[in-house]
Amino acid sequence: MAHTSRQQDGRKPGVAAPASIGPAARPARQRGKTSQPTAESDMTRVFRSKAFANLMERDPAVARAVVFLTHQGVVTGVRSKKISTRVDPGVMDAARKRFGLTNDADVINASLTMAAAPDRFKTWLMESQNMVTDDFELAV
């Protein structure tokens, strides 16, 4: 008897078919381009990189920057802009370590995302007009 990878009923072993395959069993696919991702899980797919999606889960600052830029309509989800430049290898290595990424494109996307998003502390400080309350004490 010859060894086959299929069971007698034609199915591969270890692969279970879903009970119902219909519109409720799988999400609807959208055809064509969409202007913005609709959910946070879609935002992890914006940059089409598992490493970048993992970075967003690990680093809340990057995730906030992507969410902010997405809501502003800045993130298009298309990686079509080609950039050719020379960078200091030490700076690139430091950015790789900071983000925990190995792909240069992901490092550059993460860096540009962080640079493009506003700094929340700086915004808060400017809105507070550099004033502290009269009873403020330094915790030294």
Side-chain angles (χ1 to χ4, degrees), residues 112-126:
L112 290 174
T113 300
M114 294 295 292
D119 183 357
R120 293 173 14 154
F121 177 75
K122 182 178 173 184
T123 303
W124 170 82
L125 186 62
M126 297 306 286

Side-chain angles (χ1 to χ4, degrees), residues 35-98:
S35 60
Q36 291 181 355
T38 55
E40 266 191 61
S41 63
D42 290 338
M43 286 185 244
T44 61
R45 286 183 248 133
V46 165
F47 292 99
R48 294 189 181 110
S49 167
K50 288 182 182 179
F52 196 92
N54 290 337
L55 171 65
M56 287 179 56
E57 290 176 9
R58 287 189 323 265
D59 192 333
V62 174
R64 276 193 304 269
V66 170
V67 169
F68 177 83
L69 294 174
T70 301
H71 288 302
Q72 294 296 315
V74 174
V75 175
T76 62
V78 179
R79 289 175 62 161
S80 61
K81 176 81 174 170
K82 183 172 170 89
I83 298 173
S84 177
T85 187
R86 297 193 184 277
V87 297
D88 184 311
V91 173
M92 191 65 165
D93 289 341
R96 271 193 204 103
K97 287 177 187 170
R98 192 279 193 215

Side-chain angles (χ1 to χ4, degrees), residues 4-15:
T4 63
S5 64
R6 297 189 184 269
Q7 294 176 353
Q8 288 181 349
D9 62 355
R11 292 182 299 136
K12 288 185 179 180
V15 177

